[in-house]
Amino acid sequence: VPGFDPSLSMMTGITPINPMIPGMGLVPPPPPTDVPVVKEIIHCKSCTLFPPNPNLPPPSTRERPPGCKTVFVGGLPENATEEIIQEVFEQCGDITAIRKSKKNFCHIRFSEEFMVDKAIYLSGYRMRLGSSTDKKDSGRLHVDFAQARDDFYEWECKQRMLAREERHRRKMEEDRLRPPSPPAIMHYSEHEAALLAEKLKDDSKFSEAITVLLTWIERGEVNRRSANQFYSMVQSANSHVRRLMNEKAGHEQEMEQAKESFKNALTGILTQFEQIVAVFNASTRQKAWDHFSKAQRKNIDIWRKHSEELRNAHSEQLMGIRREEEMEMSDDDSGDNPSKKLRVDDS
């Protein structure tokens, strides 16, 4: 690119505003709103831009249209050419189009939206071509947001693209969180039935096998030819009932042992609570009570009440466990009556 110095990362022959920040070009980014704006003189090859009076309020702008990449520039000098306009505003960013009117205004379209903010920064500057004092060679710039169909169309396309990406992302997330589909049930055949009969005898594969058996029966695979094979598999399912009852009995025994262990631990805790409450009661007797200060008596009284509440709560819990055991024992006694026993045919 002619006139471009890679070591400086900026156009040569143009005096930057702040030499300490290379690559920023003529127009620095707009400062924060809470900091007073101090604009400086901008020197270009063909013109000079003088900053507005800092005491005056900033130039007004219209509401920013969505996806705005185009600015309106008014107050141009009558002798300003399109080349001069491009020389001034190309420091704000890549210009895609300049539409200059016969009057003293034009529209400039940039390639990115953030470049518009840099162009708005130049609003209020007084532009003078060269060193001429002719009225036609000077003017006060007014830069404002412009509504352009191309900008709005690109913005709409971008919004639709973002909406598609969001829908795709949600669908991928739903597919990831959706539980996997169950495997397809194979069709009935004598070979598959023989394999299924072996699985029904295996405790680790029983749940999977019983599902297949249920599906076959619901499909109507049972007929005169396959009835004996299905009866054998149903009989294997019935044999699984005894294993389940034995497993349940084992769990009930573990639960009873856990209950007994909990009751013993609760009894030990309650005994220690009784001892602690006895210590507090002994401390409140006059023989020891008179030697404590007022603050110490207050704390001892609070501790005693709290310990008594905890002791009573644990005592009630233990009494509830004992009542449940007594009720279970009475139920067992009534269940031992031979006239009320149920006979189970294991055949």
Side-chain angles (χ1 to χ4, degrees), residues 211-222:
T211 304
V212 177
L213 177 60
L214 176 62
T215 304
W216 283 355
I217 296 175
E218 290 177 346
R219 284 179 182 174
E221 301 285 356
V222 183

Side-chain angles (χ1 to χ4, degrees), residues 70-73 97-101 105-109 146-147:
T70 307
V71 294
F72 165 83
V73 183
I98 297 178
R99 296 188 296 272
K100 187 177 182 302
S101 173
F105 69 90
C106 71
H107 288 85
I108 303 175
R109 190 166 191 263
Q147 290 183 343

Side-chain angles (χ1 to χ4, degrees), residues 282-297:
S283 300
T284 55
R285 294 191 182 94
Q286 190 172 5
K287 185 183 296 184
W289 190 252
D290 294 339
H291 298 285
F292 293 118
S293 65
K294 187 175 181 181
Q296 291 172 341
R297 292 177 184 177

Side-chain angles (χ1 to χ4, degrees), residues 56-245:
L56 296 178
S60 60
T61 57
R62 68 173 67 179
E63 184 178 356
R64 182 171 190 153
C68 180
K69 296 181 182 179
T70 307
V71 294
F72 165 83
V73 183
L76 291 169
E78 293 184 19
N79 294 334
T81 62
E82 187 174 324
E83 290 76 13
I84 295 176
I85 297 172
Q86 182 163 357
E87 178 188 343
V88 173
F89 285 93
E90 70 181 356
Q91 302 301 320
C92 302
D94 186 19
I95 297 175
T96 58
I98 297 178
R99 296 188 296 272
K100 187 177 182 302
S101 173
K102 294 181 180 179
K103 296 184 179 180
N104 304 334
F105 69 90
C106 71
H107 288 85
I108 303 175
R109 190 166 191 263
F110 295 95
S111 59
E112 299 293 339
E113 294 183 28
F114 71 91
M115 300 173 183
V116 172
D117 298 320
K118 294 185 178 183
I120 295 294
Y121 179 81
L122 295 177
S123 186
Y125 269 83
R126 185 164 55 86
M127 181 177 179
R128 188 172 69 184
L129 305 181
S131 58
S132 175
T133 57
D134 191 353
K135 186 177 181 181
K136 295 183 179 182
D137 292 334
S138 64
R140 188 171 298 278
L141 300 180
H142 175 67
V143 186
D144 198 354
F145 302 109
Q147 290 183 343
R149 287 193 299 269
D150 295 341
D151 295 346
F152 188 70
Y153 176 74
E154 289 184 4
W155 178 79
E156 282 187 327
C157 292
K158 185 177 180 181
Q159 295 303 310
R160 286 194 291 268
M161 181 187 69
L162 293 175
R164 287 194 299 269
E165 292 178 354
E166 179 64 18
R167 288 195 299 270
H168 177 70
R169 187 192 64 79
R170 289 183 180 179
K171 186 177 182 302
M172 294 293 291
E173 187 69 15
E174 291 174 359
D175 293 343
R176 187 180 66 84
L177 298 177
R178 184 182 295 116
S181 301
I185 304 297
M186 75 288 291
H187 290 282
Y188 168 79
S189 66
E190 292 185 1
H191 175 69
E192 293 293 343
L195 296 177
L196 188 65
E198 295 297 326
K199 289 183 179 179
L200 287 171
K201 298 175 183 178
D202 189 351
D203 295 340
S204 61
K205 300 179 180 179
F206 179 81
S207 297
E208 177 187 351
I210 199 72
T211 304
V212 177
L213 177 60
L214 176 62
T215 304
W216 283 355
I217 296 175
E218 290 177 346
R219 284 179 182 174
E221 301 285 356
V222 183
N223 51 42
R224 288 187 178 182
R225 185 177 178 181
S226 61
N228 291 333
Q229 203 164 18
F230 272 99
Y231 177 78
S232 176
M233 290 187 288
V234 172
Q235 190 176 19
S236 298
N238 180 62
S239 302
H240 197 73
V241 174
R242 182 178 298 176
R243 188 191 70 83
L244 294 178
M245 296 304 297

Side-chain angles (χ1 to χ4, degrees), residues 11-25:
M11 300 297 292
T12 57
I14 302 176
T15 305
I17 293 178
N18 189 354
M20 299 300 292
I21 309 179
M24 295 299 293

Side-chain angles (χ1 to χ4, degrees), residues 293-345:
S293 65
K294 187 175 181 181
Q296 291 172 341
R297 292 177 184 177
K298 183 177 179 181
N299 288 335
I300 292 174
D301 192 44
I302 294 173
W303 296 337
R304 180 181 60 81
K305 291 180 180 178
H306 185 236
S307 298
E308 287 179 350
E309 291 175 358
L310 293 175
R311 179 200 61 184
N312 295 336
H314 284 74
S315 178
E316 290 179 2
Q317 188 175 6
L318 185 60
M319 292 298 296
I321 294 175
R322 289 174 178 171
R323 282 195 298 268
E324 289 180 1
E325 291 179 348
E326 292 174 358
M327 292 176 64
E328 290 177 357
M329 290 179 64
S330 62
D331 292 341
D332 293 340
D333 293 341
S334 62
D336 289 339
N337 192 346
S339 62
K340 294 184 180 181
K341 283 188 176 181
L342 298 177
R343 298 184 62 188
V344 180
D345 188 4

